[in-house]
Amino acid sequence: MWFVGWSWQAGEVTSSSDPTKRPPSVDRLARSLADTGLPHPLLVDAARSAIEAGDPEQAAAIAASMERAMLQRVINATGTLLHTNLGRAPYGVSQEAGFRNLELDLATGKRGSRQSQAPMLLARACGAEAAIVVNNCAAAVMLILAALVRGRGVAVSRGELVEIGGGFRVPEVMEQSGARLVEVGTTNRTRRQDYERHIADPVADIALAMQIHQSNYRITGFTEMPTTAELADLGVPLVSDIGSGLLDAACPWLPSGPPSWLEGEPAAKQTLEAGASLVAFSGDKLLGGPQAGIIAGDRELVEQCARHPLARALRPGGLVLGALQDLALAYLRRDGQAIPFWRMASRSTDELRARAEQWNVGTVVETMAVPGGGTLPTVEIPSIGIAVPGDHAAALRSASVAIMARVENDTTICDLRTIDPADDDAVAAALRAVDT
Ligand SMILES: *Cc1c(COP(=O)(O)O)cnc(C)c1O
């Protein structure tokens, strides 16, 4: 990968850099690229790489690649709503530079907690007594186990000892937390009695039972898994890692109620109502926010998590908490239109088709969008795309705002469901440019 080469080159430049010995041509070439807006040290790296490669003409192209390697907004035309490579849910932050009452109680002027603002609103939105926010759902699970199990046993079904995208391996997270994993039941069938038997065994010393939602895979056929309600009164707290962050299965923030493709997806509110002591979920999946992990439920257990020393290491910053506060307020106002994820998820195909017909390029086709992001593995959402013959993925990626499209059978498809209508003109123009 070229980026790696650049890093290495940059290292070489610093180790041997003696300003008096730098060939003047490097500096002059770097200055000639000042229009790119890149800081001078990076332009020096680009100039030096080009000169070392024996082709100073390349310097501008190298500078352009450096710019392209940076974190930037992109257009998601893939039809995958929560695209892991594109940061899962679309989100924004609108915070001016300035101080914030992050850990200050404005009423008393005394020290407050960063966990008393956005987390409290999220708890309210899912009907929990209390909540705290950490860095992601993996961190949430880790903190729960470290704080509530502390070297004792945690009962988990063998059917849930899985790896969920991005290297979240349930047994490994458990091991890191210091909890002792007690496997219960079998891979395809686990019953309430399997948990009861281990919980009754003093040697197993079970501190809590944990359910892990089979987010991105399905076991089908001869299978059986107890429901949350069936495990609610085992005599130890029940923690449910629901992963996806659906707050309420009734979706009161959508005027037409829950879309059919959400069927069967566990939601925080209903999981707590069914008797789970705590739920853990991601901020950037179906919740539609920034990367975060939320622990919600029983106040005493949430406070035990908040008091554990790891909570300090896993805590989010003010930017994330500010974005989550806006998000929680939108949920409490039942305003799904204010949440970019739910805006794109709830658009009708008629609406998408009407937009596509304005593009004046390619062919309007029916497509299937997918939730993605390690959720709902077998689910498809009807959508509309524009198809153009040939593979134009690379050309579209190089548009001024990069466009990520899908290529199937040598046809490039831009799926309108994941494209913000404000980007329609840009995508249509880019498609016209490649469709010759
Ligand atoms: C996605 C997921 C995780 C990991 O969440 P991150 O926020 O990416 O750490 C954990 N558990 C379940 C059930 C998931 O679906």
Side-chain angles (χ1 to χ4, degrees), residues 88 136-138 164 168 212-213 215 241-244 282 284-285 292 374:
R88 292 190 179 153
N136 51 28
C137 190
I164 294 162
F168 177 84
I212 295 125
H213 179 48
S215 292
D241 172 9
I242 61 169
S244 69
S282 295
D284 52 2
K285 295 183 181 172

Side-chain angles (χ1 to χ4, degrees), residues 272-346:
L272 291 170
E273 280 170 3
S277 310
L278 290 178
V279 288
F281 52 91
S282 295
D284 52 2
K285 295 183 181 172
L286 299 180
L287 191 68
Q291 181 191 304
I294 294 99
I295 300 171
D298 180 89
R299 183 181 305 282
E300 177 49 36
L301 297 179
V302 168
E303 280 170 5
Q304 274 186 52
C305 292
R307 281 196 299 269
H308 190 276
L310 256 186
R312 172 68 175 74
L314 302 175
R315 72 183 190 181
L319 280 174
V320 164
L321 289 167
L324 282 174
Q325 175 173 286
D326 290 347
L327 183 68
L329 290 171
Y331 275 112
L332 288 167
R333 288 188 189 108
R334 304 188 159 193
D335 184 4
Q337 285 304 302
I339 303 169
F341 172 78
W342 289 108
R343 261 202 319 269
M344 71 176 169
S346 62

Side-chain angles (χ1 to χ4, degrees), residues 1 25 59 113 128-129 222 228 239 272 326-327 384 386 388 423 430:
M1 210 190 288
S25 58
S113 161
E129 285 176 12
F222 187 59
T228 299
V239 172
L272 291 170
D326 290 347
L327 183 68
I384 295 292
I386 292 282
V388 167
D423 290 324

Side-chain angles (χ1 to χ4, degrees), residues 2 6 9-10 13-14 22-52 55-68 70:
W2 183 82
W6 167 49
Q9 295 275 8
V13 171
T14 30
R22 178 185 294 155
S25 58
V26 170
D27 200 57
R28 215 180 314 122
L29 184 54
R31 281 180 201 289
S32 76
L33 300 171
D35 285 355
T36 60
L38 284 176
H40 188 66
L42 297 185
L43 295 177
V44 168
D45 293 347
R48 188 174 290 267
S49 294
I51 288 168
E52 279 172 7
D55 185 5
E57 301 281 298
Q58 261 187 35
I62 294 175
S65 328
M66 282 177 176
E67 217 165 354
R68 216 49 178 171
M70 292 187 197

